[in-house]
Amino acid sequence: MLRRFTAGRSIARRLAQGQAQPARLFSTSQPRKADITLTVDGKEVTVPQGTALIQACEAAGAAVPRFCYHDRLAIAGNCRMCLVEVERSPKPVASCAMPAMPGSKVFTNTPLVHKAREGVMEFLLANHPLDCPICDQGGECDLQDQSMRYGSDRTRFHEITGKRAVENKDLGPIVKTSMNRCIQCTRCVRFANDVAGVEELGTTGRGNDLQIGMYIEKTMDSEMSGNIIDLCPVGALTSKPYAFQARPWELKKTESIDVLDAVGSNIRVDSRGVQVMRIQPKINDEINEEWINDKTRYAYDGLKYQRLTTPLVREGDRFVPASWEHAMDTIRHGLQSSGAKGDEIKAVAGHTADTESLVALKDFINRLGSENLTLDQSLGDAPPVTGVDVRSNYLFNTGIENVGEADAVLLIGTNPRHEAAIINTRFRKSYLQTGAEFGLIGEDFDSVFEYDHVGTSPSDVEAFLSGKAVKGKGKGENDFARIWKEAKKPLIVVGSAVVEGKDGAAVLKAISKHVLANEKKFVTPEWNGFSILQRAASRAAAYDAGFTPSPTSTNTTPKFVYLLNADEIDPSTIPENAFVVYQGHHGDLGAQFADVCLPGAAYTEKSSTWVNTEGRSQLGRVAVVPPGASREDWKIIRALSEIVGSPIPYDDIIQLRQRMWDISPTLVRYDVIEKPSLEFIKLGLQLLSTPPSTTKAASTTPFKKPINDFYRTDAISRASVTMAACSKAFTKKEYDIASVDEAGSAQASYA
Amino acid sequence: MSLLPRYLIRSRPSIPSPSLSFRNRMLHTSRPLQAETRGPVDPPPAPAGAAPHTAIMDVVAGLAEGPVVPVEDASVVAAEVVSGAPHELQLRQVRIFKPTKSTMQSAKGKTKRWVLDWDVLQGAGRWENPLMGWASSADYMQGTTLGFRSKEAAISFAERQGWDYIVSEPKVAKIPPKNYANNYVHVPGKLRIHHTK
């Protein structure tokens, strides 16, 4: 039997070997507690001391229904649904608020337990509207499911006044409320306070009159607000953009990777037919735990608008739809007639270019004799100051999972809230739970943790790290300098904008010198406290693949420009008479300059590799097919290379991944982080600490935030209507709180 | 008895022809063929010793187990030869994964089994049907998923079918021990959050 794809299996085997290696060497900060043993439903189970009883029941494989308890939130213990029977206990106990005791005998499936849960359910349903057929939670509702098991089949509720009626709240363009349905589990309150940092969301009143809200009429201004929709066990908080769009059982679920920031959040793309209906988080404790930010969750409607669906060829001042053959032929003519030779052929890779197409484009351009491979960032035409030889010089070496272990964090020229919202939630967690201290050198931002603003400019970085007082800072404010000196696990987070800026080399020099001088604290087998925070999904992969210009190509004036998803380009870098090809999925900025547009696939439409800011490569998956005549990106480049006359030597995705393996095995060793040796990390830092002699001294120009509008950072989110509404409401603060109960007068009450 | 082919009544290891041993194994399971493909599929049974004599008519009637034929290595049993599946199926990669828990609900339904499914076929995956606006497809595998009790079962099934596969390992949730008393723990230093609700 002939088999074409034997190569694929060998990759699978290599990957399996890669995963067999010891996963990580980091020590945990929590001391190991003694284990205790108890019996749940006749089954012995051993759990660490201090575990909640509900966790012990789960460990024993007993399902305990719950509404208020959530694995990733603080324990509230107010829904009483998780009642279990414990031997020699006079009453059923709430298993979430009860610690597991050694030797106790727990029963989760006895008549007493059933009766108790039935009673709780009856109280919850007494004030819950019977609107499941028109409720968006229907089909994925905890209350609905559990009432099937524990609910009574007839009501004893005969109040003349009817059910409790609660006014709806307008929380902004994302969260839709229907507060009649609220069962007051307070999951949203705990999430908003502990994780998202919106301390205004809370409760008023007691008992039957308890209400969830913002206390005054205001929106819930957080980039993580969409998660409270997931957390809500009933339909009180549902999604406004998804309202009445689909039912969960109609959706095809595809587990994939998000590309709207460099965190690489794991997502589940729910699609129906040819359309993405919603995006949900996929649980991955190494990256995004159970959360995703609102841009990841709601920018999907941008995939419907402004799409390039057919090749376009510029004729005069307008684009004319063309066939693929015609478009490719036009490019061949354009390349010939432009007379571009060598480095005059330039490629620019954008924020959402996938790794496969980066590798294919690099091979293609190199075959044409050019080294002019650039990125669409400021100074993207020049070789990056971090270099690409040492991986730890441009990655988030600490690892997303481990940032919570840092006791002092120095943020340099970055706003983690907008550049990596998921990492920001980890910072808030460590701020609250382990007492981490934060310092910032750069532009102020609206933070969810308190920080000490110790400087604004590159020269302040030098001053602070060399222990000098930063100009304009009083003594009281410089507390962080003392904390920084005493820190056991310090962490420096350098924003990608700093590295891309003109002071990048000088700042990195100061930082790497400081890190090397304190290497016992910064670079140990367990801890690496020097991290660069990338903000674009394709950057780490571009550096890994060596998609960077050679020093000589920087000063060449290009005659042929190939834009791969490049929408953040500076228009002045494209010469007037150059022949420009744009390949991408949206008609955004880059397409405006193009002579030929080639329609590619967006991230939900191609199975491609993404490398996140910590250097973890992950494989996305196709959820829906690309619209119209658009094609997978690497295939476009492969076809073009053949038409231009220098075909790149791979015909299918497996051969291309072999090529990626040849370039860097990390690109196809999915889901694991390759940790370099300490010697290698230090070698990289030494390279950074000795930049070329032409490097200028650090200036006093303040750092600027690279992201001014979190909701509109790339072609997809700029095309999204939801993101436009969020930008208006949260960035520009122009949002009229609507009276959600339009009728304004009496609501229907059904007894 | 003489109507039946000889290899069906053989109770010893037969010549190691892939198709032959496959059929014998099917006989051994004495289950209808559909059950093999529909439900969760287990790895092939471990080699057993020689089976006692069984009347072949009982086997045909489903009243007795068929003769046991040891299968030394499951990977040599190439089901693709006899499955009748179109040859194109050999050219597509399948993915084996454990579905993630839905974040919309607390319960962990549908997360325990391993799923094998096919990537969306570029170009023929789906399109909107102009008649009703529903989705049409030219890909006969687009609605198919196979469930397995273990990863090994899924891999062994894919290997026997001759499919290339990628395995996505599930991520283990790391939930620290949780304690209600943590709400009231005194943290020295400045109060960082006001738990008032």
Side-chain angles (χ1 to χ4, degrees):
Chain A
M1 163 80 210
L2 275 175
R3 219 171 266 158
R4 279 184 68 218
F5 284 0
T6 44
R9 206 165 290 155
S10 68
I11 283 201
R13 219 170 279 141
R14 285 187 205 175
L15 295 179
Q17 283 165 4
Q19 280 164 357
Q21 292 165 355
R24 47 188 285 272
L25 296 162
F26 297 114
S27 68
T28 51
S29 56
Q30 277 184 330
R32 180 96 182 131
K33 286 176 180 166
D35 285 349
I36 56 166
T37 304
L38 65 157
T39 315
V40 179
D41 290 342
K43 196 178 162 194
E44 279 212 342
V45 61
T46 305
V47 290
Q49 198 170 21
T51 305
L53 193 51
I54 195 169
Q55 289 181 301
C57 292
E58 269 198 354
V64 181
R66 81 285 301 264
F67 293 114
C68 73
Y69 173 81
H70 191 273
D71 277 338
R72 283 161 226 277
L73 299 174
I75 294 176
N78 52 6
C79 78
R80 317 310 285 182
M81 195 60 197
C82 62
L83 293 172
V84 294
E85 190 180 346
V86 179
E87 202 178 54
R88 286 199 293 280
S89 162
K91 295 184 286 184
V93 297
S95 59
C96 69
M98 182 79 169
M101 291 298 183
S104 64
K105 287 197 172 60
V106 184
F107 304 96
T108 66
N109 207 8
T110 58
L112 176 81
V113 170
H114 275 262
K115 190 159 176 292
R117 289 179 187 165
E118 197 180 317
V120 170
M121 181 60 81
E122 191 171 0
F123 275 121
L124 287 176
L125 291 179
N127 274 319
H128 194 81
L130 297 171
D131 56 1
C132 300
I134 54 135
C135 174
D136 256 325
Q137 195 84 354
E140 48 185 356
C141 177
D142 280 342
L143 189 67
Q144 200 179 24
D145 282 5
Q146 289 176 30
S147 68
M148 297 305 285
R149 191 181 174 109
Y150 298 106
S152 171
D153 62 346
R154 63 206 62 204
T155 184
R156 289 190 283 177
F157 182 80
H158 301 292
E159 296 289 322
I160 299 296
T161 49
K163 297 198 178 204
R164 173 178 54 109
V166 185
E167 239 176 68
N168 288 342
K169 316 283 187 296
D170 189 356
L171 296 181
I174 283 185
V175 183
K176 183 184 163 189
T177 62
S178 178
M179 297 317 276
N180 278 345
R181 299 175 187 150
C182 179
I183 58 167
Q184 299 149 353
C185 69
T186 68
R187 274 186 188 181
C188 52
V189 175
R190 278 172 283 149
F191 175 83
N193 283 268
D194 298 347
V195 182
V198 185
E199 295 184 19
E200 301 94 292
L201 190 71
T203 57
T204 46
R206 277 182 72 89
N208 201 41
D209 296 323
L210 187 106
Q211 285 195 29
I212 308 283
M214 302 290 290
Y215 300 117
I216 55 168
E217 280 201 339
K218 64 179 285 196
T219 56
M220 184 174 171
D221 184 1
S222 166
E223 72 289 344
M224 302 295 290
S225 65
N227 292 300
I228 65 171
I229 296 163
D230 282 1
L231 288 171
C232 187
V234 295
L237 306 173
T238 53
S239 167
K240 237 177 218 178
Y242 176 70
F244 309 128
Q245 296 295 303
R247 286 296 193 188
W249 56 84
E250 303 167 335
L251 301 172
K252 185 184 146 212
K253 287 128 184 141
T254 314
E255 293 172 16
S256 189
I257 307 297
D258 170 57
V259 304
L260 302 181
D261 57 25
V263 172
S265 300
N266 286 206
I267 53 171
R268 195 187 73 191
V269 182
D270 289 5
S271 57
R272 186 178 63 188
V274 293
Q275 219 181 1
V276 176
M277 298 308 290
R278 67 172 176 181
I279 287 179
Q280 294 288 117
K282 176 187 167 186
I283 298 173
N284 185 344
D285 274 324
E286 287 160 12
I287 301 174
N288 55 321
E289 298 175 282
E290 204 171 320
W291 324 124
I292 52 174
N293 66 47
D294 286 349
K295 189 164 51 175
T296 300
R297 193 185 289 262
Y298 288 115
Y300 65 84
D301 66 335
L303 297 167
K304 283 190 291 193
Y305 307 115
Q306 289 281 102
R307 288 301 296 267
L308 299 172
T309 56
T310 173
L312 300 171
V313 175
R314 184 185 289 272
E315 280 180 13
D317 55 356
R318 63 195 197 99
F319 282 122
V320 179
S323 67
W324 276 104
E325 291 79 10
H326 179 61
M328 295 277 187
D329 226 35
T330 314
I331 296 172
R332 185 170 61 89
H333 278 291
L335 181 59
Q336 275 170 0
S337 57
S338 71
K341 287 277 173 302
D343 286 343
E344 288 165 351
I345 300 168
K346 176 182 174 182
V348 189
H351 281 198
T352 53
D354 61 286
T355 314
E356 277 81 0
S357 56
L358 283 172
V359 168
L361 185 60
K362 176 178 159 65
D363 281 348
F364 172 44
I365 299 289
N366 285 354
R367 270 168 184 261
L368 296 176
S370 167
E371 288 282 339
N372 202 351
L373 304 159
T374 64
L375 301 167
D376 66 340
Q377 59 197 26
S378 68
L379 302 183
D381 291 346
V385 291
T386 53
V388 293
D389 298 331
V390 182
R391 230 174 154 231
S392 59
N393 278 4
Y394 55 82
L395 292 180
F396 197 86
N397 304 306
T398 315
I400 294 170
E401 197 184 6
N402 308 312
V403 290
E405 292 171 25
D407 49 1
V409 182
L410 178 63
L411 306 166
I412 297 178
T414 180
N415 171 5
R417 191 169 179 185
H418 287 171
E419 288 169 44
I422 294 296
I423 297 179
N424 195 54
T425 61
R426 301 242 184 194
F427 281 147
R428 172 149 177 99
K429 199 166 146 195
S430 69
Y431 170 74
L432 293 180
Q433 292 181 2
T434 60
E437 302 278 353
F438 293 83
L440 170 75
I441 302 178
E443 202 176 346
D444 259 321
F445 63 93
D446 181 18
S447 174
V448 293
F449 46 81
E450 274 179 33
Y451 59 78
D452 197 354
H453 197 191
V454 289
T456 53
S457 67
S459 63
D460 288 348
V461 176
E462 279 185 348
F464 178 80
L465 291 179
S466 58
K468 289 177 209 146
V470 176
K471 227 195 305 183
K473 288 284 161 193
K475 204 178 171 194
E477 279 174 310
N478 252 341
D479 253 6
F480 187 71
R482 181 184 49 78
I483 293 163
W484 186 248
K485 268 197 197 97
E486 292 165 3
K488 291 193 181 65
K489 276 190 171 180
L491 165 61
I492 298 181
V493 179
V494 189
S496 49
V498 175
V499 181
E500 292 158 13
K502 61 183 185 348
D503 288 307
V507 173
L508 285 174
K509 181 183 169 188
I511 295 168
S512 53
K513 277 192 168 163
H514 180 78
V515 171
L516 283 172
N518 301 288
E519 65 177 40
K520 289 221 170 59
K521 288 203 289 187
F522 278 99
V523 186
T524 67
E526 290 86 32
W527 182 249
N528 188 339
F530 169 69
S531 283
I532 310 269
L533 181 60
Q534 302 289 346
R535 65 180 193 280
S538 79
R539 275 305 171 261
Y543 293 145
D544 276 355
F547 201 98
T548 48
S550 68
T552 48
S553 69
T554 308
N555 303 320
T556 324
T557 309
K559 290 181 178 165
F560 178 88
V561 181
Y562 197 99
L563 304 173
L564 176 67
N565 293 105
D567 289 311
E568 320 297 321
I569 40 164
D570 178 7
S572 65
T573 58
I574 300 176
E576 194 70 17
N577 52 359
F579 188 85
V580 182
V581 179
Y582 177 81
Q583 177 185 337
H585 39 79
H586 275 78
D588 206 70
L589 182 74
Q592 295 173 12
F593 303 99
D595 291 296
V596 177
C597 287
L598 302 176
Y603 68 108
T604 52
E605 295 150 8
K606 57 188 170 190
S607 179
S608 45
T609 306
W610 305 95
V611 182
N612 79 350
T613 181
E614 46 174 357
R616 185 196 300 269
S617 73
Q618 303 184 96
L619 191 60
R621 216 179 169 194
V622 187
V624 293
V625 287
S630 47
R631 289 287 178 269
E632 268 186 290
D633 288 84
W634 76 269
K635 286 182 180 167
I636 299 172
I637 297 164
R638 169 70 183 79
L640 183 62
S641 73
E642 190 150 329
I643 284 171
V644 168
S646 52
I648 43 181
Y650 22 81
D651 297 332
D652 58 42
I653 190 74
I654 299 201
Q655 291 173 6
L656 174 52
R657 297 220 169 109
Q658 287 280 9
R659 168 73 181 136
M660 285 158 62
W661 172 278
D662 292 341
I663 292 172
S664 166
T666 56
L667 290 177
V668 285
R669 208 172 270 166
Y670 295 112
D671 291 336
V672 287
I673 296 182
E674 300 283 326
K675 256 194 94 195
S677 69
L678 290 188
E679 288 69 32
F680 209 62
I681 295 170
K682 284 174 196 164
L683 182 76
L685 289 165
Q686 272 152 19
L687 284 177
L688 290 183
S689 64
T690 50
S693 51
T694 50
T695 307
K696 289 186 195 121
S699 72
T700 52
T701 323
F703 290 121
K704 279 262 174 261
K705 284 187 283 198
I707 297 175
N708 289 319
D709 190 349
F710 169 71
Y711 297 98
R712 300 172 76 86
T713 53
D714 50 85
I716 298 168
S717 56
R718 278 192 290 263
S720 158
V721 175
T722 315
M723 287 297 103
C726 287
S727 169
K728 196 171 172 227
F730 300 134
T731 310
K732 299 196 184 108
K733 314 278 182 201
E734 293 166 8
Y735 186 79
D736 296 325
I737 302 273
S739 171
V740 183
D741 306 307
E742 291 90 350
S745 53
Q747 293 189 21
S749 60
Y750 303 100
Chain B
M1 209 158 165
S2 59
L3 291 173
L4 288 159
R6 278 198 66 204
Y7 59 79
L8 282 181
I9 49 174
R10 192 173 292 157
S11 60
R12 291 179 293 107
S14 55
I15 36 169
S17 149
S19 58
L20 211 55
S21 52
F22 175 74
R23 287 188 195 187
N24 281 336
R25 201 181 59 77
M26 288 308 299
L27 191 60
H28 156 69
T29 59
S30 78
R31 276 181 289 165
L33 189 63
Q34 275 192 330
E36 180 79 6
T37 51
R38 197 178 282 163
V41 183
D42 287 329
H53 178 74
T54 321
I56 192 69
M57 298 317 283
D58 288 348
V59 178
V60 174
L63 298 172
E65 293 269 303
V68 175
V69 176
V71 179
E72 281 78 18
D73 181 4
S75 62
V76 302
V77 184
E80 59 189 294
V81 179
V82 289
S83 69
H87 177 67
E88 298 86 78
L89 216 52
Q90 303 290 323
L91 308 178
R92 294 177 64 178
Q93 206 168 34
V94 297
R95 192 165 314 200
I96 295 168
F97 64 101
K98 219 175 176 182
T100 184
K101 174 185 158 308
S102 166
T103 50
M104 292 293 288
Q105 288 196 272
S106 298
K108 292 181 179 142
K110 297 183 182 172
T111 60
K112 292 204 174 100
R113 58 180 196 154
W114 285 79
V115 170
L116 181 154
D117 70 1
W118 282 261
D119 281 334
V120 171
L121 205 57
Q122 296 282 330
R126 278 185 182 191
W127 62 87
E128 203 174 283
N129 192 310
L131 179 65
M132 293 296 284
W134 296 339
S136 295
S137 177
D139 174 12
Y140 40 78
M141 298 320 278
Q142 58 89 24
T144 308
T145 55
L146 303 176
F148 298 89
R149 289 202 191 97
S150 70
K151 179 174 77 173
E152 291 71 28
I155 290 174
S156 126
F157 186 84
E159 279 181 347
R160 273 180 290 142
Q161 299 293 328
W163 296 336
D164 282 296
Y165 56 87
I166 293 184
V167 181
S168 314
E169 295 288 339
K171 296 289 176 189
V172 186
K174 294 169 200 156
I175 312 294
K178 298 176 72 72
N179 205 328
Y180 186 63
N182 284 351
N183 290 332
Y184 305 103
V185 165
H186 170 71
V187 182
K190 193 184 158 198
L191 186 62
R192 296 192 167 190
I193 187 168
H194 301 270
H195 276 296
T196 53
K197 44 252 172 185

